Amino acid sequence: LVADNAAAALRRFGAFRHFSDEALSRLVRLGRMQRRSRYQHFYHEGSRADAIFILVSGTVLLSAGRDQKGGRELKPPAVFGLEALGALSEGQGEERLEGAMAVRPSVCVSIRSDTLHTSIAELAATLPFFHFEQPSSSSSAQRGEAGGGRAAVV
């Protein structure tokens, strides 16, 4: 049930809407289920998420600073940690909020950015209108990037 709900949440996110149910389920199975108690963090202020998180139950606060004011509350289905998606986020990856914390007990599926980029490149190759460029490791390393990639619907 968690995997089905996570796949449904991904489908709502623009970068994934063209993938089949089977492809989304396969992607979600690569993730790891994480439970957070109230006030536990998914990632902290000053750090960037190295994964996407698919909120399946509970409530998460994306905070804008130490005082937690100016944040945004998320309820399922939701996807956060979008900076891990790089260019796949269709502009939503510019969300550079400072942290993500459960404000109610929460369950998420997390998919690490390196796993995500590799898997999406493989899955996207099956779509005739989707082009994904995996950066060479040398050029990414020279620019100090990790897991970067570009996607485009053509």
Side-chain angles (χ1 to χ4, degrees):
L1 184 61
V2 169
D4 291 341
N5 289 343
L10 276 180
R11 175 155 317 284
R12 295 170 54 108
F13 183 62
F16 298 101
R17 89 174 44 106
H18 298 291
F19 289 103
S20 69
D21 291 340
E22 178 185 334
L24 290 176
S25 292
R26 202 170 1 158
L27 187 59
V28 167
R29 285 192 304 268
L30 295 172
R32 190 180 80 164
M33 187 168 60
Q34 296 187 13
R35 296 178 190 278
R36 294 289 191 275
S37 299
R38 189 173 188 201
Y39 301 127
Q40 278 190 308
H41 285 86
F42 287 93
Y43 52 95
H44 292 278
E45 174 188 344
S47 65
R48 293 179 60 185
D50 66 349
I52 63 165
F53 297 88
I54 307 159
L55 182 61
V56 178
S57 68
T59 306
V60 169
L61 178 68
L62 298 179
S63 63
R66 284 187 193 270
D67 60 5
Q68 307 295 324
K69 292 182 180 174
R72 187 167 48 128
E73 209 171 81
L74 298 178
K75 295 181 188 248
V79 179
F80 62 99
L82 300 179
E83 61 268 21
L85 287 174
L88 292 177
S89 63
E90 295 182 357
Q92 296 177 40
E94 296 306 311
E95 170 187 302
R96 299 272 188 241
L97 298 174
E98 295 295 325
M101 176 184 69
V103 292
R104 288 186 173 53
S106 300
V107 175
C108 284
V109 173
S110 67
I111 306 172
R112 291 186 46 85
S113 61
D114 53 351
T115 301
L116 182 68
H117 283 287
T118 301
S119 301
I120 287 177
E122 292 168 3
L123 294 172
T126 66
L127 299 174
F129 54 87
F130 198 88
H131 176 68
F132 186 86
E133 296 174 14
Q134 185 74 10
S136 67
S137 58
S138 61
S139 65
S140 292
Q142 289 170 355
R143 291 189 307 265
E145 299 172 358
R150 302 252 184 256
V153 177
V154 290

